[in-house]
């Protein structure tokens, strides 16, 4: 043995290359990795890309017998979104809520919005308020208990007290407010919201004791007037709309010959309008003109057909041609047509209800419901006035948002709050908390008991799945403490049993409404289900509906009054809407939502505005990409990224609400306060600004932080070759081959799949700066393709799970491999981070972990992480895996159910066939599929000919991305299948 060869021993494996014959000593990269896996030699090799953070787990001293490590326990609860409740399931591991899932039995449609799923991150946010503050400094326990006792005594002694709350239909809050009013008839209640509640514009045209619900299954023709009902749907079951619109039905089982057709007239490009069959750009100032003329046209068709051909002077020839074809189609489907109105136009509710009466929608497409009248309340303006006039001495702001920032009455409200005994309850310290004398940390919805109502009126039960992490207090607990004869604020934290007194009130609220025979069993069942069907609003009788529908509308067809056009000549009209990612501002501290690209503009971590390409050029915009825009006003300015979007009405700027103010998560957004600009424009008694007030300048650089939409038809054109037969690799499993189909007719680009993937797979946020360098880590990317008319095709792109994967052949360490079940898997322990696979991926669906983002976000996400998925450290490639952990868990659950069918028998005695072991279709679902509100994603075993994914992949409109490359992707797409009006296609 030469002196250069080490002697065999315990430190060196016998298969070390030094012991091989000379001709076999040449080592390949893959053989090197095999050697590394042999054992001891790994100790002497330093690989910085393979580092991980070591943590020591403290085991249970005595584990709960019902808890199995790594197995989730789901609890039913609910969230309040847009003024109504939504039942959800909180998946918990060892007592930690990790993700929120849709409640599958809930009759209003499965799926869960992006914001609802992202709210789990707020639970663990280290920036939440943690202390009771008095004049901005932590208050002692004795100091607060004495103050609360005096507030309760003031209530009992008929003192002058005011309560400011968000608008709510909660039966529990309602019962507590009624009890407070009985104890103190002089108490004043106020409601405030910075943006209209979804559905409030149409509700404005109904009596207060009446609600409405849309039956989408019966509606074959729908006109949306600036109404984005596919985004925040307060009207009915969206899945019913999808089923009625799909050419093959909801599950691709039948041929739908009478498909729903959707029309949209709007100024901005909304998610609903972008997916309409026909869309007309109409500025907000002209929407009233259009709506009135549409009513006159439909009335003319019914009562005076000879007058229907008149072109109104208030409409252009193009607008009237569109109106005429749309009106004819609506009128020709009596009882199957309806008109929906957006939330920013309550003044048009009368015209819309007249139209629906003419079209016979009431009682067919629209169901009317009976609802209790809300507790009398005032507005925020009344609240400020009453404080100034000393009509209230003590005021509570209970989970009322941040009205000092977003109400338009900021300075006046702050001055009023400073001059009285004011108590603010909120999850964060903000401008309103600083204006109040007292600040109380609010509980997260997953930490508190409550009873809410959904749009249909069903009671939805909010039960805590974890004790308050930061001493949070719920609004119901504050009200309960004020009603207490002892004048004490009792919460789950200071209760001897850790049971909040609101629990008992919630149970009594349920028992009064349902009146069950076995109260304990019924209450337990209601909590397990999450809602009570018995409490839904009762429908009006057919006679009552007929009476309402028979109210004679104004059918005059004479020349209408002159209408005001857009703002004065040469002015730009402004339209304000809650941002698609952060809403009205409640999600601006949520990093998951901040990092989601806007579904229309593609901008993340910044406020973005819409403008038409022509108006963009008139303002000085260069090229087709976005620019930084500064809008100046007499008392301030607003900075946004201005994006030219096809289909936006001319001379219109669509600006987001929700940005600005204090924010510990995002920087550089303080000057993007749309509320301030909206207030100044309203105070000027106008809705427009001069183009001179708009200054554009180039962005520092063009990066992936702005995923600009593509202005061209989608890649699925009529000439595209259809997808080939599913590829089966040598040695493939003959039982399971997992594939996916995504229906682009259904996908609206709402980001629900992105958030679900992030929560399930422990994907960290990278921040604005890293995204600006093209280092986003999301495993799903949403590509957007626009037509010149504003029609949008959203295409979710993740790893395509290629059968002939280009990434596998170039990986030097065999880290990306093909499994026998058809998955393109990643072995993180092998990955060196060479990025060869990303370079060779034609779909650009692989992400590289440039830094240890997981460690950087550990404080905010450590408790939220899914224990069944590896937390990747720096230096590895990441990508979609079809949620393989959920597939394997489904197999385990299926086998467990088979064992339960043979109680008392040992596993060796149980006889099952291969068919018994086969997972039923739908038993295994990916996170994105489970979360999609539109049902756009179908996943399953393509070898099962009865499965939905097999049917989807067998359709003529099923196609692959980049089919000429021959990669044989496992993910395919169903090309858009719109339902245009033939008369409008000529």
């Amino acid at each position: 043995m030469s002196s250069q060869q080490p002697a065999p021993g315990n430190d060196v494996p016998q298969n070390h290359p030094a012991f091989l014959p000379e001709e076999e000593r040449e080592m390949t990269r893959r053989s090197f990795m095999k050697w590394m896996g042999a054992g001891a030699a790994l100790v002497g090799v330093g690989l910085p890309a393979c580092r991980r953070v070591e943590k020591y787990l403290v085991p249970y001293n005595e584990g709960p017998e019902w808890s199995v490590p790594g197995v989730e326990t789901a609890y039913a609860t609910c969230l309040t979104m847009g003024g109504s409740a939504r039942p959800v399931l909180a998946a918990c591991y060892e007592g930690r809520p990790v993700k929120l899932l849709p409640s599958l039995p809930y009759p209003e449609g499965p799926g869960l919005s992006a914001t609802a799923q992202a709210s789990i991150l707020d639970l663990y946010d280290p920036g939440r308020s943690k202390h009771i503050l008095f004049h901005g400094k932590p208050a002692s326990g004795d100091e607060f208990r004495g103050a609360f006792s005096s507030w309760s005594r003031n209530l009992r002694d008929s003192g002058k007290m005011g309560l400011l709350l968000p608008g709510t239909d909660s039966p529990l809050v309602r019962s507590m407010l009624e009890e407070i009013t009985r104890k103190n008839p002089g108490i004043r209640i106020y409601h405030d919201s910075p943006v209209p509640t979804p559905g409030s514009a149409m509700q404005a045209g109904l009596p207060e004791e009446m609600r409405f619900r849309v039956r989408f299954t019966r509606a074959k023709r729908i006109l949306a007037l600036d109404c984005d009902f596919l985004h925040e749907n307060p009207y009915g079951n969206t899945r019913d709309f999808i089923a009625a619109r799909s050419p093959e039905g909801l599950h691709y089982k039948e041929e739908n010959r009478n498909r729903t057709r959707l029309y949209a007239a709007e100024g901005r490009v909304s998610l609903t309008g972008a997916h309409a069959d026909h869309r007309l750009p109409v500025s907000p100032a002209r929407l009233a003109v259009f709506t009135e003329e549409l009513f006159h046209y439909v009335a003319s068709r019914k009562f005076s057909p000879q007058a229907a051909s008149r072109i109104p002077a208030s409409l252009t020839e193009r607008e009237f041609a569109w109106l005429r074809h749309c009106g004819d189609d609506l009128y020709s489907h009596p009882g199957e047509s309806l008109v929906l109105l957006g939330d920013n136009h309550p003044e048009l509710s009368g015209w819309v209800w007249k139209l629906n009466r003419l079209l016979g929608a009431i009682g067919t497409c629209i169901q009317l419901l009976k609802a209790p009248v809300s507790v009398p309340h005032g507005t925020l303006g009344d609240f400020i006035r009453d404080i100034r006039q000393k009509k209230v001495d003590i005021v509570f702001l209970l989970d009322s948002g941040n009205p000092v920032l977003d109400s338009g009455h900021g300075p006046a409200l702050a001055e009023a709050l400073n001059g009285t005994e004011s108590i603010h309850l909120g999850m964060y310290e903000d401008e309103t908390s600083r204006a109040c004398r007292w600040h109380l940390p609010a509980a997260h919805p997953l930490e508190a008991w409550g009873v809410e109502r959904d749009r249909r009126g069903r009671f939805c039960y909010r039960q805590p799945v974890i004790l308050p992490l930061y001493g949070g207090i719920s609004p119901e607990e504050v009200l309960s403490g004020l009603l207490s004869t002892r004048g004490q604020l009792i919460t789950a934290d200071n209760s001897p049993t850790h049971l909040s007194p609101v629990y008992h009130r919630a149970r009594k609220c349920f028992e009064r409404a349902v009146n069950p025979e076995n109260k304990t069993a019924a209450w337990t069942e209601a909590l397990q289900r999450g809602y009570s069907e018995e409490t839904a609003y009762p429908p009006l009788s057919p006679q009552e509906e007929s009476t309402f529908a028979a109210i004679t509308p104004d059918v005059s067809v004479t020349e209408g009054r002159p209408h005001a056009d857009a703002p004065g000549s040469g002015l730009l009209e402004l339209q304000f809407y809650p941002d698609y990612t952060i809403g009205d501002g409640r999600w601006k501290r949520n990093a998951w939502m901040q990092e989601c690209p806007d579904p229309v503009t593609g901008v993340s971590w910044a406020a973005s505005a819409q403008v038409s390409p022509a108006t963009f050029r008139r303002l000085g915009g260069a090229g087709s990409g976005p620019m930084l825009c500064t809008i100046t006003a007499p008392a301030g300015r607003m900075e946004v990224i201005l994006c030219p979007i096809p289909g936006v009405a001319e001379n219109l700027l669509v600006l987001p609400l929700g940005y600005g103010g204090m924010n510990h998560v995002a920087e550089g957004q303080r000057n993007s306060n749309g509320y301030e600009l909206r207030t100044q424009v309203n105070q000027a008694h106008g809705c427009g600004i001069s183009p001179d007030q708009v200054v554009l300048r180039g962005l520092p650089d063009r990066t992936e932080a702005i995923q600009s939409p593509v202005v061209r038809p989608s890649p699925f054109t009529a000439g595209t070759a259809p997808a080939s037969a599913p590829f089966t690799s040598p040695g493939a499993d003959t039982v399971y081959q997992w594939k996916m189909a995504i229906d682009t007719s259904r996908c609206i680009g709402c980001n629900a799949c992105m958030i679900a993937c992030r929560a399930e797979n422990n994907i960290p946020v990278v921040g604005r700066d890293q995204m600006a360098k093209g280092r986003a880590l999301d495993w799903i990317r949403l590509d957007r393709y626009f037509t010149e008319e504003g029609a949008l095709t959203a295409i979710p792109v993740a790893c395509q799970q290629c059968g002939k994967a280009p990434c596998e052949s170039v990986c030097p360490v065999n880290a990306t491999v093909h499994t026998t079940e058809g998955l393109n898997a990643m072995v993180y322990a092998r990955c060196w981070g060479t990025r060869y696979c990303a370079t060779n991926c034609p779909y650009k669906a692989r992400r590289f972990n440039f830094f240890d983002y997981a460690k950087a976000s550990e404080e905010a996400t450590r408790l939220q992480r899914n224990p069944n998925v590896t937390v990747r450290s720096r230096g590895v490639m990441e990508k979609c895996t079809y949620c393989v952990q959920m597939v394997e868990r489904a197999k385990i659950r299926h086998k467990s159910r088979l064992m339960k069918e043979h109680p008392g028998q040992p596993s060796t005695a149980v006889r099952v066939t291969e068919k018994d072991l086969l997972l039923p279709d739908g038993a295994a679902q990916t996170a994105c599929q489970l979360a999609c509100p539109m049902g756009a994603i179908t996943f399953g075993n393509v070898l099962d000919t009865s499965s939905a994914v097999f049917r989807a992949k067998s359709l003529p409109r099923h196609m692959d991305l980049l089919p000429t490359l021959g990669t044989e992707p496992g993910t395919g797409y169903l090309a858009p299948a719109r339902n245009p009006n033939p008369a409008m296609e000529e």
Side-chain angles (χ1 to χ4, degrees):
M1 185 177 291
S2 69
S3 60
Q4 294 180 352
Q5 292 178 325
N10 294 332
D11 294 332
V12 184
Q14 293 293 324
N15 62 347
H16 190 282
F19 300 116
L20 297 177
E22 188 72 32
E23 63 273 10
E24 295 181 23
R25 290 183 187 177
E26 184 177 355
M27 183 180 294
T28 65
R29 290 185 178 91
R30 293 193 177 184
S31 63
F32 175 66
M33 287 305 296
K34 292 179 182 178
W35 166 68
M36 294 267 290
L42 181 62
V43 178
V45 181
L47 296 178
C50 296
R51 291 179 299 172
R52 70 160 65 193
V53 180
E54 295 295 338
K55 289 295 177 185
Y56 297 93
L57 297 178
V58 179
Y60 283 116
N61 185 31
E62 185 175 332
E65 60 177 333
W66 49 263
S67 176
V68 180
V71 177
E72 67 183 33
T73 304
Y75 297 94
T77 183
C78 75
L79 297 174
T80 302
M81 313 290 294
S84 67
R86 173 78 191 198
V88 299
L89 296 179
C92 301
Y93 291 90
E94 290 82 48
R96 296 179 295 110
V98 167
K99 57 185 175 180
L100 297 179
L101 305 172
S103 175
L104 297 182
Y106 183 55
E108 292 302 312
L112 198 60
S113 68
T115 52
Q117 296 177 74
S119 64
I120 191 76
L121 192 64
D122 292 336
L123 172 67
Y124 300 111
D125 186 357
R128 283 178 57 183
S129 176
K130 302 178 179 65
H131 305 286
I132 297 175
L133 305 179
F134 180 59
H135 288 298
K137 298 180 180 179
S140 66
D142 291 339
E143 189 177 19
F144 174 71
R145 283 190 291 270
F148 195 90
S149 177
S150 67
W151 301 333
S152 177
R153 186 167 54 253
N154 179 281
L155 172 65
R156 295 193 301 272
D157 294 343
S158 300
K160 296 183 290 184
M161 182 179 292
L163 302 173
L164 178 66
L165 306 96
T168 177
D169 285 332
S170 167
L172 177 59
V173 173
R174 175 191 176 93
S175 66
M176 298 174 79
L177 291 178
E178 289 174 346
E179 185 178 350
I180 287 176
T181 304
R182 287 194 298 270
K183 286 194 173 186
N184 184 350
I187 199 163
R188 297 173 183 263
I189 300 169
Y190 312 89
H191 287 174
D192 175 59
S193 176
V195 297
T197 303
S200 59
M202 287 196 67
Q203 185 62 45
L206 294 177
E208 189 177 1
E209 69 279 2
M210 193 180 294
R211 300 286 191 275
F212 74 98
R213 174 175 176 263
V214 174
R215 297 173 172 139
F216 283 110
T217 53
R218 302 188 183 186
K220 301 305 177 184
R221 299 294 182 267
I222 301 175
L223 170 61
L225 297 174
D226 200 13
C227 179
D228 196 6
F229 69 87
L230 291 180
H231 175 233
E232 287 190 354
N233 177 31
Y235 306 104
N237 191 336
T238 309
R239 285 287 177 94
D240 290 342
F241 169 79
I242 293 297
R245 195 166 186 242
S246 176
E248 306 87 8
L250 186 61
H251 303 290
Y252 309 109
K253 288 184 176 180
E254 65 275 342
E255 183 179 359
N256 187 0
R257 296 183 178 273
N258 188 17
R259 296 169 57 198
T260 296
R261 181 172 296 146
L262 175 61
Y263 297 90
E266 59 185 9
R268 59 167 178 159
V269 174
S270 70
L271 294 184
T272 300
H275 291 82
D277 298 300
H278 295 283
R279 182 181 174 280
L280 178 69
V282 179
S283 68
R286 290 184 54 77
L287 191 63
V289 179
F290 180 86
T291 305
E292 292 181 37
E293 294 298 347
L294 177 63
F295 168 75
H296 288 305
Y297 179 82
V298 175
S300 299
R301 284 292 311 271
K302 185 172 185 178
F303 299 103
S304 181
Q306 66 277 6
S309 60
R310 174 187 57 86
I311 300 179
S314 54
L315 296 180
T316 65
E317 186 175 346
R318 179 198 176 196
E319 289 173 337
F320 180 70
W322 197 96
L323 179 150
R324 180 167 56 85
H325 291 306
C326 175
D328 289 343
D329 202 12
L330 294 172
Y331 180 74
S332 62
H333 290 78
E336 296 182 328
S337 301
L338 76 145
V339 181
L340 298 177
L341 180 65
D343 305 323
N344 277 16
H345 310 278
E347 71 282 358
L348 301 181
S349 60
W351 291 104
V352 169
W353 283 109
K354 289 178 182 180
L355 270 167
N356 283 315
R357 290 190 184 101
L358 281 176
L359 297 171
I362 299 173
T364 55
C365 298
I366 298 178
Q367 182 183 33
L368 299 179
L369 311 169
K370 299 177 182 177
V373 179
S374 61
V375 177
H377 59 270
T379 65
L380 184 65
D382 300 328
F383 179 73
I384 298 173
R385 184 194 63 241
D386 290 347
I387 294 177
R388 287 176 171 174
Q389 296 178 359
K390 304 300 182 182
K391 293 182 179 179
V392 290
D393 295 331
I394 302 174
V395 294
F396 286 84
L397 292 81
L398 301 180
D399 200 23
S400 58
N402 189 4
V404 169
L405 177 72
D406 56 36
S407 67
H409 302 279
L413 177 60
E415 180 184 359
L417 293 173
N418 279 321
T420 190
E421 181 78 348
S422 50
I423 303 96
H424 173 260
L425 176 72
M427 281 184 61
Y428 298 94
E429 297 177 33
D430 53 26
E431 290 78 4
T432 302
S433 70
R434 290 188 172 183
C436 294
R437 295 187 183 179
W438 289 88
H439 167 72
L440 314 181
H444 189 275
L446 297 179
E447 299 172 329
W449 288 97
V451 183
E452 307 289 344
R453 280 190 188 268
D454 69 359
R455 293 289 178 186
R456 186 69 172 78
R458 303 178 186 87
F459 281 19
C460 300
Y461 305 101
R462 188 178 69 239
Q463 60 173 325
V465 295
I466 191 171
L467 285 172
L469 297 175
Y470 303 118
I473 305 165
S474 71
E476 292 87 350
E477 287 173 337
V478 174
L479 295 177
S480 177
L482 292 175
L483 288 168
S484 170
T485 55
R486 296 183 179 181
Q488 294 180 355
L489 177 60
I490 305 297
T491 68
D493 268 342
N494 58 23
S495 169
T497 60
H498 290 300
L499 186 63
S500 170
V502 179
Y503 164 82
H504 303 287
R505 290 183 175 273
R507 181 169 178 174
K508 289 180 181 178
C509 182
F510 159 79
E511 292 174 353
R512 285 196 301 266
V514 178
N515 193 25
E517 294 183 5
N518 188 332
K519 296 182 179 181
T520 300
W523 172 242
T524 301
E525 182 183 353
L527 290 181
Q528 290 176 342
R529 188 172 56 246
Y531 63 92
S532 292
E533 191 68 38
E534 308 93 319
T535 58
Y537 295 139
L540 266 64
S541 66
Q543 295 79 10
E544 291 173 315
E545 278 190 330
S546 299
T547 301
F548 182 81
I551 298 175
T552 305
D554 178 12
V555 295
S556 172
V557 296
T558 59
E559 190 70 33
R561 60 177 176 79
H563 299 284
D565 208 329
S569 177
L571 294 183
L572 293 172
E573 186 178 355
L574 301 183
Q575 187 178 23
F576 296 90
Y577 271 95
D579 188 78
Y580 268 127
T581 55
I582 67 168
D584 60 4
R586 72 185 66 191
W587 312 112
K588 69 181 180 182
R589 299 175 182 86
N590 191 297
W592 285 1
M593 294 307 302
Q594 285 272 7
E595 196 146 304
C596 274
D598 185 282
V600 176
T601 65
V603 176
S604 55
W605 287 104
S608 60
Q610 299 180 23
V611 67
S612 72
T615 304
F616 181 73
R617 290 190 294 269
R618 283 198 294 272
L619 292 174
S624 59
M627 299 186 71
L628 193 61
C629 173
T630 302
I631 303 172
T632 58
R637 65 175 187 171
M638 181 181 183
E639 292 183 352
V640 295
I641 295 178
L642 190 62
C643 302
I645 302 296
V648 177
E650 298 298 327
N651 299 316
L652 174 68
L653 291 183
V654 183
L655 300 173
L657 297 173
Y659 293 91
M662 298 168 58
N663 189 355
H664 66 277
V665 170
E667 298 178 357
Q669 298 179 357
R670 182 172 291 274
N671 294 327
S672 300
N673 187 357
Y675 290 113
E676 183 179 3
L677 182 62
R678 183 180 67 171
T679 300
Q680 295 179 25
V681 171
N682 290 340
Q683 289 175 348
H685 305 289
C687 60
I689 60 174
S690 169
D692 297 336
Q693 296 175 255
V694 179
V695 178
L696 301 184
R697 63 182 187 275
L699 293 172
D701 45 25
R702 296 291 304 279
T703 65
E704 284 191 23
I706 302 176
Q707 300 175 8
S708 298
V710 178
V711 185
R712 66 177 177 86
S714 74
F716 309 114
T717 59
T720 305
S724 58
F727 172 78
T728 303
S729 61
D733 190 281
T734 58
V735 179
Y736 295 114
Q737 288 295 306
W738 302 107
K739 307 294 178 184
M740 180 178 286
I742 301 176
D743 194 339
T744 58
S745 289
R746 302 181 183 184
C747 177
I748 62 172
C750 66
N751 290 327
C753 57
M754 293 182 65
I755 296 297
C757 182
R758 187 180 286 273
E760 171 67 27
N761 295 297
N762 298 332
I763 301 176
V765 295
V766 300
R768 182 176 184 176
D769 294 340
Q770 291 297 305
M771 287 196 73
K773 296 177 181 178
R775 294 174 177 174
L777 273 183
D778 287 294
W779 292 2
I780 301 177
R781 180 183 77 248
L782 281 168
D783 292 345
R784 294 168 302 283
Y785 295 84
F786 275 96
T787 65
E788 295 291 345
E789 294 75 26
L792 169 64
T793 300
I795 302 179
V797 180
C799 173
Q800 301 291 287
Q801 305 293 333
C802 301
K804 300 176 181 177
C807 57
E808 295 177 7
S809 59
V810 298
C811 180
V813 293
N814 207 30
T816 174
V817 295
H818 213 75
T819 71
T820 58
E821 294 188 357
L823 301 183
N824 181 254
M826 274 296 301
V827 185
Y828 296 122
R830 296 181 187 170
C831 182
W832 274 15
T834 61
R835 291 182 280 169
Y836 294 168
C837 56
T839 303
N840 219 39
C841 175
Y843 306 100
K844 301 306 171 189
R846 287 173 168 265
R847 302 295 191 182
F848 182 64
N849 221 322
F850 280 88
F851 297 102
D852 202 343
Y853 300 110
K855 182 178 180 181
S857 62
E858 186 175 21
E859 184 182 4
T861 62
R862 175 175 54 87
L863 295 175
Q864 181 275 324
R865 291 172 182 166
N866 185 351
N868 290 326
V869 178
T870 305
V871 179
R872 286 80 57 193
S873 57
R874 177 186 182 185
V876 299
M877 297 301 305
E878 300 191 12
K879 70 172 196 69
C880 166
T881 62
Y882 275 171
C883 290
V884 65
Q885 72 279 0
M886 297 181 70
V887 173
E888 294 304 315
R889 188 162 62 243
K891 293 179 183 178
I892 294 172
R893 287 176 174 172
H894 180 60
K895 292 177 182 178
S896 177
R897 283 193 293 268
L898 291 177
M899 285 298 300
K900 290 179 180 178
E901 294 176 1
H902 302 82
Q905 299 184 32
S907 59
T908 55
V910 177
R911 295 291 181 264
V912 293
T913 65
E914 290 186 1
K915 185 177 180 181
D916 294 332
L917 290 173
L918 185 67
L919 273 176
D921 185 36
Q925 298 189 63
T926 62
C928 56
Q929 175 193 15
L930 191 61
C932 181
M934 301 292 116
I937 301 175
T938 305
F939 171 79
N941 180 15
V942 78
L943 298 183
D944 181 3
T945 56
S946 64
S947 64
V949 72
F950 179 85
R951 292 193 298 270
K953 285 185 169 290
S954 301
L955 294 175
R957 62 189 183 100
H958 179 267
M959 300 178 182
D960 292 336
L961 284 181
L962 306 178
T964 58
L965 297 180
T967 58
E968 305 290 350
T971 297
Y973 296 84
L974 301 185
R978 301 188 186 273
N979 183 25
N981 185 341
M984 302 176 78
E985 294 291 297
E986 298 174 355

